[in-house]
Amino acid sequence: MLSALIKAFAQLSDPRLRRVLTIGVLVALGCWIGLAAVASVVVRSTHFFANGWADAGAGAALGVAALLVPLLFFSALATFVMSFFLDDVAAGVEARHYPTLGPARVAGWGEILLGSTRFLLVMVLVTLAAAPLYLALLFVGLGVVLNYAVNGYLLGREYFELVACRRLEAEPARLLYRNNLGRLWLCGAVINLLFQIPLLNLAAPVIATAFMVHVVQGLRPAPARL
């Protein structure tokens, strides 16, 4: 697992990976600038109080909030944009480290929709089931543990399916996942950590995809990788 993570970080200089990272960050930055500009126009054209000082103070406070609040979602927006290009990241990693794999299988829209829907349902069910525990454990300091347990499962599954479905049919992919659930859960916890570190979280989707490519190739039987 450590070797896979090191390889993932080492390939960040690859132009194919940098392209995806750049697209995600620039689109998110453009959205943030657009939101800030719109908020600035709204604040300047809206009067909140009759008193001049109170109105100026409210306008300034809302202006600062308009700049800072979108930053809280900057990483999420960048991740969303990058998600459309993560297949290119996987292809770049495979081309450098596993050139004998041959062309990846192309999933149909029905399979993509089914996989996305299944993952969404699992995510909702697991999150709802864990919600009462989050509240209970928050008071005894174990909320962080549960955070990594739940998000580790969700992220491990999401990135595994993203990578595995490029090379495996649905049933073999599910079997490989079930047989290696513990390791993939731990991989998901590592990915969750990447998303928790400021600035690094912007590159987390790209690193996580590259990382999971190495993990999945390490889990597949040797003849399947030829």
Side-chain angles (χ1 to χ4, degrees), residues 54-72:
D55 187 64
L62 289 175
V64 172
L67 289 174
L68 295 181
V69 171
L71 286 178
L72 299 176

Side-chain angles (χ1 to χ4, degrees), residues 19 41 43 82 89 135 144 172 188-189 195 200-202 205 214 219:
R19 172 180 168 273
V41 171
V43 167
M82 289 181 210
V89 173
L135 296 176
V144 173
F195 276 99
L200 182 61
N201 59 1
L202 295 177
H214 295 298
L219 294 177

Side-chain angles (χ1 to χ4, degrees), residues 1 34 67 79 82 87 96 202:
M1 187 184 304
L67 289 174
T79 298
M82 289 181 210
D87 195 64
R96 171 176 290 191
L202 295 177

Side-chain angles (χ1 to χ4, degrees), residues 34-225:
L35 287 172
V38 170
S40 176
V41 171
V42 171
V43 167
R44 277 194 299 235
S45 61
T46 304
H47 296 285
F48 303 95
F49 300 100
N51 181 278
W53 287 103
D55 187 64
L62 289 175
V64 172
L67 289 174
L68 295 181
V69 171
L71 286 178
L72 299 176
F73 305 97
F74 190 89
S75 175
L77 180 56
T79 298
F80 174 73
V81 174
M82 289 181 210
S83 68
F84 292 96
F85 303 95
L86 293 181
D87 195 64
D88 295 340
V89 173
V93 175
E94 289 176 349
R96 171 176 290 191
H97 294 277
Y98 311 99
T100 60
L101 285 175
R105 62 183 295 270
V106 179
W109 282 106
E111 183 180 342
I112 293 173
L113 180 60
L114 179 62
S116 300
T117 303
R118 187 179 65 249
F119 177 78
L120 177 61
L121 290 175
V122 170
M123 180 175 64
V124 170
L125 290 174
V126 172
T127 302
L128 289 176
L133 294 176
Y134 271 123
L135 296 176
L137 295 178
L138 182 64
F139 296 101
V140 293
L142 295 179
V144 173
V145 176
L146 187 61
N147 172 274
Y148 276 86
V150 173
N151 290 344
Y153 172 78
L154 296 175
L155 291 170
R157 183 179 180 120
E158 178 180 8
Y159 282 93
F160 170 82
E161 291 186 350
L162 168 70
V163 170
C165 289
R166 288 172 48 81
R167 300 288 170 182
L168 298 172
E169 297 292 340
E171 187 56 35
R174 280 195 292 269
L175 182 62
L176 184 65
Y177 180 81
R178 286 200 304 267
N179 291 341
N180 299 277
L181 176 58
R183 178 176 296 193
L184 291 169
W185 200 325
L186 184 58
C187 289
V190 171
I191 293 172
N192 185 48
L193 176 62
L194 297 177
F195 276 99
Q196 302 294 326
I197 301 175
L199 297 182
L200 182 61
N201 59 1
L202 295 177
V206 172
I207 298 171
T209 303
F211 170 54
M212 191 58 74
V213 169
H214 295 298
V215 170
V216 170
Q217 288 304 316
L219 294 177
R220 293 177 65 191
R225 299 200 299 269

